[in-house]
Amino acid sequence: MPKSKKSKTKSSSKKPYSSSKPKADPLFPSRKRVFRLGQDVLPTGRDLGRYVKWPRYVRLQRQKKVLYQRLKVPPSIHQFTNTLNKNEATEVFKLLEKMRPETKADKKQRLQKVAESKVRIAFFNN
């Protein structure tokens, strides 16, 4: 297909942009925007996160963090803020099981064995 030739002369009557501004309405005069405190418009990019109503759990965890920063907690209470994981907890419970005081039944059984051993020693010595 042969290409069509375009005319090289441009018409100056058509303007791409109109240079005349629309006339301002006298009832609503335009004023310069003021960005100072308490004035017309807030500038874009301001962080409004402080003014959001956050969910309850978020507020609680933030309040807890602030309280821990502001209060001096005694070491005897502070030790309970960090917990053990499951493996360490089982080791500790095994150790504490060995150190648990004996029950009345265990004590009775132990004393019974001691008494029997004393009787045997006394019987063989005579």
Side-chain angles (χ1 to χ4, degrees), residues 68 71-81:
Y68 274 122
L71 294 177
K72 286 193 172 184
V73 180
S76 56
I77 295 173
H78 181 71
Q79 67 183 346
F80 296 109
T81 58

Side-chain angles (χ1 to χ4, degrees), residues 99-111:
M99 299 171 65
R100 174 182 276 177
E102 61 184 356
T103 61
K104 289 187 177 183
D106 291 339
K107 183 176 180 182
K108 187 175 180 181
Q109 189 177 14
R110 180 178 57 85
L111 292 175

Side-chain angles (χ1 to χ4, degrees), residues 31-86:
R31 282 181 279 154
K32 187 177 177 183
R33 296 166 106 192
V34 182
F35 292 108
R36 296 184 70 183
L37 287 176
Q39 300 299 320
D40 298 333
V41 181
L42 291 175
T44 59
R46 180 170 287 184
D47 182 24
L48 299 175
R50 290 181 60 86
Y51 309 108
V52 173
K53 183 169 183 181
W54 290 94
R56 187 164 183 254
Y57 77 97
V58 174
R59 282 181 284 154
L60 285 176
Q61 67 192 12
R62 288 180 180 173
Q63 288 170 356
K64 180 181 172 185
K65 184 179 178 183
V66 169
L67 276 177
Y68 274 122
Q69 287 175 348
R70 293 182 184 172
L71 294 177
K72 286 193 172 184
V73 180
S76 56
I77 295 173
H78 181 71
Q79 67 183 346
F80 296 109
T81 58
N82 299 328
T83 58
L84 296 175
N85 60 23
K86 191 172 182 180

Side-chain angles (χ1 to χ4, degrees), residues 87-100:
N87 294 333
E88 291 174 341
T90 53
E91 287 182 28
V92 170
F93 288 136
K94 285 179 185 176
L95 177 68
L96 292 176
E97 183 67 33
K98 293 176 186 174
M99 299 171 65
R100 174 182 276 177

